Amino acid sequence: MNKDSIIIKGENVSIGYRKQTVYRELNFQLYRGELTCLLGANGIGKSTLLRTLSATQPALCGNISLLGKPISSYSEEELSRTVGVVLTDRTYAGGLTVRELVSLGRQPHTGFFGRLHQSDKDIIEHAINAVGIARKANCYTAELSDGERQKVMIAKALVQESPLILLDEPTAFLDVISRIEIMMLLHRLATEEQKAILLSTHDVEQALVLADRLWLLTDENGLECGVTEDLILSNRMDALFPNKEIRFDLMHGIYSPTVQGKQNILLTAGDETLRHWAQNALNRNGFFCLSDENKSKNYPLQLEISGKDRLKLTQNGEEYIHKSFESLLTSLRQKTNIAEKKYINN
Amino acid sequence: MKAERKGYIYCLVLAIIIGILIMANLLFGSVEIPPKAVLNTLMGNGTEKASWEFIIWESRFPQCITAMLCGAALSASGLMLQTVFNNPLADSSILGISSGASLGVAVAMLIGGGSIAAGSFVLSGFLSVIFGAFIGASLILGIILILSHVIKNSIMLLIAGIMIGYVTSSVISLLNFFSTSEGVHSYIIWGMGNFGGVSLKMLPYFSLIIVCGLIIAILLIKPLNALLLGTRYAENLGINIRNVRNLMFLSTGILTAATTAFCGPIAFIGLAVPHIARLFSGTSNHNSLMPITILTGSAVALTCNLLCILPGELGIIPLNAVTPIIGAPVIIYVIINQRKIQYFN
């Protein structure tokens, strides 16, 4: 990795407040042209870390260098041209048009009265187009949806022309579609505009798909940084949320409840999709699925699926054909109940 | 740009309205003066009666200019406070700054013996009254400033300001209790508000003070726009919040102290005019909102003054009886329609 591409670098950084150190000895780097996602449980200190990186809160000790210069040596003006932030704070700018709000991002570059030159206006139009909000450029920000507002704030950060953009949970209040849109937008901007973008988020699924790097923040291990796939394949995702009932599904890149089946069932499926959803249904109902490699053993419960309406259940040698999961699950529940009752009666 | 041109048009329209209102204010009064005579006086040509000339130059003209400047001053400080505290109900009277100035005035009048008779001061007493108002307003501003470092929540700070206002009011009541009846009388008259408190001789000084305060307000336009995004975004845009707050407090202090000392504690103009300006101009952008607010403030104050002097020979209506009639409905309208009004969302 080229040395010039390091935007911000931290060595043995401690973050926190005067009376309470939240983390010690953090080491990290952010690179130009990359989208990095900061993941961690609620209240773990993601915002504190972001505030430290934007120099709104000083690091307790250690060195943070921004473009090779200590961050503490930056003046307010220099900082405003080097770090752009997007927050979840309430704004009071409903009475500004989208273009006016984006223009505010030019303030670090304009003179005393904030007059915009043609070059400033060009940069503003470029940013408005880049985030895809050009259609609404003359609308009041009050008329926008939450997702659109977030895009406007991202455009504001873009016109600051800062090499580093920090976003504190930019997708927090958005619906699924807007979340994916914003993440895709940020990934595109990181590449196209050659920015280093760091965002904190709870959207693990999208982060795993779109982040070039992950920063995992945990109480036990502090901050772990690395390329997304490296971290996933070395099982670092399980450490993120230390909870025995939830585990990280390496295959699908999602967190799911740990399977605790009371009864075993042999599952044979026509294809991977059928297998996945059959397993999903069975796990939810307390069955532990065995794969067809163990076919030789003669299990009392067997399920064979060759299509979404062809579900063959074999129980103690008797065969039942079900046409939907609804009828399959109903009969499974009844039979296991009867079995349990018999067991109790005996 | 479109919005800019719209701003210029509004300012032009307001300037015309102000011109008309000034003429109306010069025309009407307790003594009937024919329009021709008013015009002649203003042109510098003599009139038939020397008393008419005297009334226009010594009473009506300074009253006009004072109303204009006071309206501008109160509205500009109201706008600044509303933006800095991100609170549409902030205003120097609500934050207790006016009561601070009033306390200063009360101390000067009741203890210092700055005896006044309904608007026309003796110079020495007059100076002590202004000085008192400055001290009082700065004192409260200082307290608010200290509190603003402790209380980060803007609404809580506003409530603290209201509490300080109550305390100063009760101190004033106590002072009144121990004061002479003439002192109380002149304080009550002053408390009703009156734009006629500045004589022609005093007018240049008064104008200078107000213009200084307004210049600071205009210099703050850029950071005020950034503050629309909240303090953390503003900080990220390179704004030094502490400096901006201090400058805003200085400007507000000067404007409030001067208007309160000369014209009494005038309520509602500072609170309502920024809303009127936002509703008409349809923007929160201070580039156009600040000048429009200043001009609207002048127009509203001139209208209030006109209403006060309308009874003619019957006398003058107290200013503070008129301003709430114009101001309160605006605030109620704004509160009822806040879901529909852009700048709330």
Side-chain angles (χ1 to χ4, degrees):
Chain A
M1 188 60 70
N2 188 345
K3 210 181 163 199
D4 291 343
S5 65
I6 296 178
I7 300 292
I8 195 165
K9 183 177 183 178
E11 289 170 316
N12 301 322
V13 178
S14 293
I15 61 168
Y17 306 89
R18 213 176 302 163
K19 287 177 187 159
Q20 186 203 352
T21 307
V22 181
Y23 286 101
R24 284 173 215 284
E25 310 257 313
L26 302 182
N27 292 289
F28 49 81
Q29 282 166 356
L30 283 178
Y31 301 92
R32 190 185 294 279
E34 286 192 353
L35 177 71
T36 306
C37 284
L38 171 57
L39 300 175
N42 263 336
I44 203 93
K46 296 194 294 290
S47 295
T48 312
L49 178 57
L50 285 176
R51 274 201 299 275
T52 313
L53 293 179
S54 65
T56 35
Q57 181 176 333
L60 297 178
C61 64
N63 305 315
I64 302 180
S65 64
L66 187 56
L67 298 174
K69 226 172 81 177
I71 200 167
S72 51
S73 72
Y74 277 78
S75 72
E76 282 158 345
E77 274 214 315
E78 285 174 306
L79 264 179
S80 64
R81 291 189 213 125
T82 321
V83 187
V85 300
V86 175
L87 310 161
T88 42
D89 288 19
R90 212 202 130 176
T91 62
Y92 305 84
L96 296 182
T97 63
V98 167
R99 187 174 280 113
E100 282 174 319
L101 200 156
V102 175
S103 309
L104 291 180
R106 275 319 275 174
Q107 282 209 355
H109 300 269
T110 56
F112 198 83
F113 285 99
R115 238 192 143 65
L116 299 169
H117 298 288
Q118 192 54 48
S119 58
D120 296 311
K121 287 179 185 165
D122 293 343
I123 291 165
I124 291 162
E125 292 311 312
H126 171 76
I128 290 174
N129 284 317
V131 301
I133 201 88
R135 228 163 16 91
K136 303 239 170 157
N138 292 319
C139 295
Y140 285 110
T141 47
E143 295 163 3
L144 303 183
S145 69
D146 289 339
E148 289 167 332
R149 273 186 220 202
Q150 211 53 271
K151 287 182 190 168
V152 173
M153 296 319 287
I154 292 169
K156 181 232 64 153
L158 277 183
V159 302
Q160 280 179 264
E161 292 199 304
S162 55
L164 174 63
I165 298 180
L166 304 173
L167 304 97
D168 194 356
E169 300 198 16
T171 55
F173 303 114
L174 308 182
D175 57 38
V176 181
I177 299 296
S178 310
R179 277 164 197 245
I180 298 174
E181 261 183 18
I182 295 282
M183 290 290 278
M184 279 166 51
L185 169 68
L186 290 170
H187 185 258
R188 185 165 55 80
L189 292 176
T191 323
E192 282 177 9
E193 313 272 330
Q194 283 295 299
K195 308 262 182 202
I197 300 183
L198 173 67
L199 67 125
S200 64
T201 183
H202 289 291
D203 289 326
V204 179
E205 289 160 56
Q206 268 106 53
L208 296 189
V209 176
L210 289 168
D212 296 303
R213 266 163 213 279
L214 294 182
W215 285 15
L216 307 179
L217 194 58
T218 50
D219 276 331
E220 285 168 15
N221 306 320
L223 188 64
E224 291 179 277
C225 311
V227 168
T228 312
E229 287 71 22
D230 286 339
L231 287 175
I232 294 172
L233 293 175
S234 44
N235 285 321
R236 301 319 301 154
M237 299 304 291
D238 265 329
L240 196 57
F241 302 108
N243 186 334
K244 285 208 175 98
E245 294 184 357
I246 294 171
R247 99 198 144 85
F248 184 72
D249 181 345
L250 268 179
M251 190 58 218
H252 301 98
I254 53 169
Y255 285 92
S256 50
T258 317
V259 180
Q260 290 165 320
K262 289 182 214 148
Q263 243 183 315
N264 290 344
I265 186 165
L266 182 68
L267 179 63
T268 330
D271 64 43
E272 270 305 305
T273 314
L274 284 174
R275 180 175 181 81
H276 173 78
W277 292 110
Q279 197 168 349
N280 193 49
L282 293 169
N283 285 346
R284 191 171 65 238
N285 286 282
F287 291 93
F288 190 81
C289 299
L290 300 166
S291 62
D292 29 14
E293 287 153 30
N294 308 328
K295 221 172 195 170
S296 56
K297 291 175 189 168
N298 209 0
Y299 275 98
L301 261 181
Q302 294 183 17
L303 180 64
E304 198 184 327
I305 304 181
S306 45
K308 73 176 167 57
D309 50 1
R310 291 182 59 84
L311 314 149
K312 192 172 88 179
L313 182 70
T314 317
Q315 192 169 26
N316 301 325
E318 288 174 57
E319 279 186 12
Y320 306 90
I321 307 281
H322 292 283
K323 289 207 176 282
S324 68
F325 274 101
E326 178 160 9
S327 77
L328 170 75
L329 293 173
T330 318
S331 95
L332 266 177
R333 277 189 209 117
Q334 281 168 357
K335 290 195 174 112
T336 46
N337 277 348
I338 292 164
E340 271 173 26
K341 269 181 194 157
K342 266 187 191 164
Y343 177 77
I344 293 164
N345 290 340
N346 292 345
Chain B
M1 251 195 257
K2 237 184 186 175
E4 259 172 51
R5 201 179 307 147
K6 203 174 157 196
Y8 286 131
I9 292 170
Y10 271 107
C11 288
L12 197 71
V13 171
L14 281 166
I16 294 167
I17 292 174
I18 288 171
I20 295 168
L21 283 167
I22 288 177
M23 289 314 293
N25 272 282
L26 289 172
L27 261 176
F28 295 106
S30 49
V31 178
E32 211 172 298
I33 303 176
K36 215 177 187 179
V38 175
L39 213 65
N40 277 334
T41 311
L42 289 178
M43 300 296 225
N45 312 325
T47 51
E48 302 144 54
K49 285 190 189 173
S51 65
W52 287 354
E53 219 169 303
F54 182 82
I55 287 170
I56 287 169
W57 281 124
E58 288 295 324
S59 164
R60 289 187 190 178
F61 177 72
Q63 193 166 344
C64 243
I65 303 298
T66 307
M68 235 176 82
L69 292 172
C70 282
L74 292 167
S75 312
S77 52
L79 175 61
M80 282 188 285
L81 290 165
Q82 289 174 11
T83 302
V84 170
F85 291 118
N86 289 329
N87 193 316
L89 293 178
D91 159 47
S92 46
S93 53
I94 286 183
L95 279 174
I97 303 163
S98 301
S99 349
S102 302
L103 177 62
V105 171
V107 171
M109 273 189 198
L110 306 172
I111 297 173
S115 67
I116 55 164
S120 56
F121 295 68
V122 181
L123 187 65
S124 64
F126 183 67
L127 283 178
S128 65
V129 167
I130 303 166
F131 187 67
F134 266 112
I135 298 292
S138 321
L139 187 76
I140 301 300
L141 273 168
I143 294 173
I144 299 268
L145 195 64
I146 293 165
L147 283 177
S148 74
H149 291 307
V150 186
I151 308 171
K152 294 289 177 198
N153 184 326
S154 294
I155 293 160
M156 291 302 147
L157 186 65
L158 218 65
I159 292 170
I162 294 171
M163 293 304 124
I164 292 168
Y166 278 123
V167 173
T168 45
S169 300
S170 64
V171 173
I172 293 170
S173 302
L174 283 173
L175 282 175
N176 274 332
F177 181 77
F178 292 111
S179 151
T180 61
S181 61
E182 297 101 58
V184 174
H185 180 73
S186 60
Y187 181 81
I188 287 172
I189 297 287
W190 168 85
M192 290 175 174
N194 177 13
F195 287 132
V198 184
S199 67
L200 188 63
K201 227 189 330 176
M202 280 291 151
L203 192 61
Y205 304 105
F206 177 74
S207 310
L208 190 72
I209 295 171
I210 299 286
V211 168
C212 282
L214 288 178
I215 285 173
I216 300 176
I218 287 168
L219 294 182
L220 285 174
I221 283 177
K222 183 177 168 183
L224 285 174
N225 276 335
L227 279 169
L228 287 175
L229 299 179
T231 47
R232 283 173 65 201
Y233 271 122
E235 263 177 313
N236 180 245
L237 291 172
I239 305 293
N240 185 321
I241 302 292
R242 191 167 290 188
N243 281 354
V244 169
R245 272 195 175 185
N246 288 347
L247 272 175
M248 188 276 299
F249 275 130
L250 178 69
S251 165
T252 311
I254 291 173
L255 295 171
T256 310
T259 45
T260 310
F262 282 90
C263 309
I266 301 163
F268 279 103
I269 288 186
L271 187 59
V273 168
H275 288 288
I276 299 175
R278 283 192 206 100
L279 289 173
F280 275 109
S281 67
T283 183
S284 310
N285 188 341
H286 292 76
N287 289 341
S288 46
L289 184 59
M290 182 60 88
I292 291 174
T293 301
I294 288 174
L295 293 174
T296 310
S298 294
V300 167
L302 283 167
T303 310
C304 289
N305 194 50
L306 195 61
L307 291 173
C308 289
I309 58 178
L310 267 189
E313 289 165 36
L314 297 173
I316 295 171
I317 301 170
L319 186 59
N320 274 330
V322 175
T323 52
I325 294 172
I326 292 180
V330 174
I331 299 302
I332 291 169
Y333 172 84
V334 165
I335 289 171
I336 289 174
N337 291 293
Q338 59 169 309
R339 282 180 178 281
K340 282 186 236 154
I341 297 174
Q342 263 92 20
Y343 57 83
F344 276 114
N345 299 302

